[in-house]
Each structure stands twice: as C-alpha cells, then as structure tokens.
Amino acid sequence: MRDLMKIKLKSVLDRFIKLLFPECCALCGEPVESYRECAFCSTCLVKWQLEKNACRDREAGLPVRGFIDDESSKERGESSGERFGQVVYLSDYRPGDPDNVARALIHKLKRHATKTLVDFIAGEYRELLLQAAPMLFDGTVAPGEVIVTWIPRRDRAVIEIGYDHMELCAKRLAELSGFECRRLISRTGEALEQKKLGARDRMLNAERSMASAAAGLDGKYVVLIDDLVTTGASMKVGERLISDAGAEMVICAALASD
Ligand SMILES: [Zn+2]
C-alpha cells in the first residue's frame, strides 16, 4: 500500500515538474506538447522523419550501411567491409546547416540531455537495429547473448559535462530491448578531441586512447553505438577491441554520418 502511494506521489510530482519545465524541442527550442514523450515538436518530428528517409537506401528502403575507411588503414593494406568496417546510421550530419536535425539532436544530447531525449534516441537506435540486425530481435539470437556497449567519451568531457551521453543511450537501449549493457571499452590516458584531427591522426588518437575493458565475449553479439561517425576511426578501433575479446559479431550503429 505504501509502495502504491509512493508511485502515485511520484507520478503526480513528475507531471507537476513537466508543467513547470516543459521539454523543449531539440531543433527549434519550442516547448513540446505535454502529452508527447518526444524530443521534437510535431513540426520538427516531420523534419526528422524526412531527414531519415533521405538517408535510406532507395531500393531496399533500409538504413544505409557505410564503410569505415581512412587513410591509415589503406596504407596498412586493410580493406574495409571484410572483418571490420561497417556501420549503420540514421541520418546525414551537416555541421553548417541550421536545419539539420541530426546536428541539433547530437548537440542537445551532448550538452543538455534529458530523460525524454535519451528515451527518444534509444528508441531510434532500436528502430535502426530492428531493420539492420533483425536476428537480434526475432529469436535467432537469444537476448542473453546480446550486449549493448558504447564508444566512451573522453574523461575530461565527462568531468566537464557530468555524464557520458552515449553511456546513457546504451543503458536505455539495452533496457528497451531486454539486452545486457556493459562497458567493453575504456579510455586510457588523455585523448585528443577527434574533430580537431585529420583522418590519419584520428586513427592514431583512437588507438592510443581506447583499450579493451572486457574478455571472454565468446559467442556474444555486441551492439556498439556512437553518436556521429566521421572517418569511423573510433568505431573501427572499438570494433577491433571487441572482436579480439572473442565476440561472435559486432554491429556498429550511429545516429549520423558526415
Ligand atoms: Zn521544433
């Protein structure tokens, strides 16, 4: 009885807080209608749908699969699309375009994440995986064999902002899907900010700053998520670390690619 009272009180309190501080649209900043559990107002939600549709494979109607490729892997004679190097993503990231929804979404997630926003984005990753990796959901793979993990943010950024946005998304995605969430990659030393580096240095920086935090992943299917894929250096290094720990398959998914 007391538990029921607590739950009721919490839901009343939640509603009250929502009235006082309504969720704001991640794109235009307008308050989102209070009955919606969404990151966007209805106008911007349509924009997001259009942006995702524009990014799809026209013939198959499926999410686009990009190949991770960069200068340093070419020099080493590795070819993308074999053991490493595929990532599915939802939309295109255009840094200079104020109407680009992916840009606004990632910016808000990194700086001002709310529960609604994380729920929304986790739902988007789930949709993407349902289409790109249906075997995780249709019983082909047992849910107990699937681990959701993420590319961790640099330590300095976590201290500054107070959270790792990809960790929040990975946890929620795992919850929504009935999978386990586990940190499989750790940061070592002080990484440089990837966006300030060229393709070759990105790869070196990723290799220097990421390490495996897991062993014994034999037979596991690992979903590795990140927000934005540019050269794919972080994804590639992450994928390699997880594969080397014995994973059966690594599925890389991102919100956007630029
Ligand atoms: Zn809006």
Side-chain angles (χ1 to χ4, degrees), residues 172-223:
R172 188 67 188 125
L173 169 62
E175 248 172 40
L176 285 175
S177 312
F179 302 149
E180 179 192 347
C181 181
R182 204 195 301 173
R183 180 190 294 271
L184 299 182
I185 299 164
S186 61
R187 286 286 186 185
T188 58
E190 194 43 57
L192 301 167
E193 215 174 327
Q194 288 286 75
K195 71 177 175 195
K196 293 182 179 157
L197 304 172
R200 192 193 158 93
D201 288 338
R202 279 174 188 243
M203 196 66 187
L204 292 173
N205 186 43
E207 281 171 344
R208 218 171 10 218
S209 68
M210 288 160 60
S212 175
L217 296 177
D218 295 320
K220 296 289 184 189
Y221 289 72
V222 177
V223 173

Side-chain angles (χ1 to χ4, degrees), residues 24-32 39-45 47:
C24 290
C25 173
L27 187 62
C28 70
E30 290 290 315
V32 174
F40 299 116
C41 70
S42 32
T43 314
C44 296
L45 188 60
K47 281 190 193 169

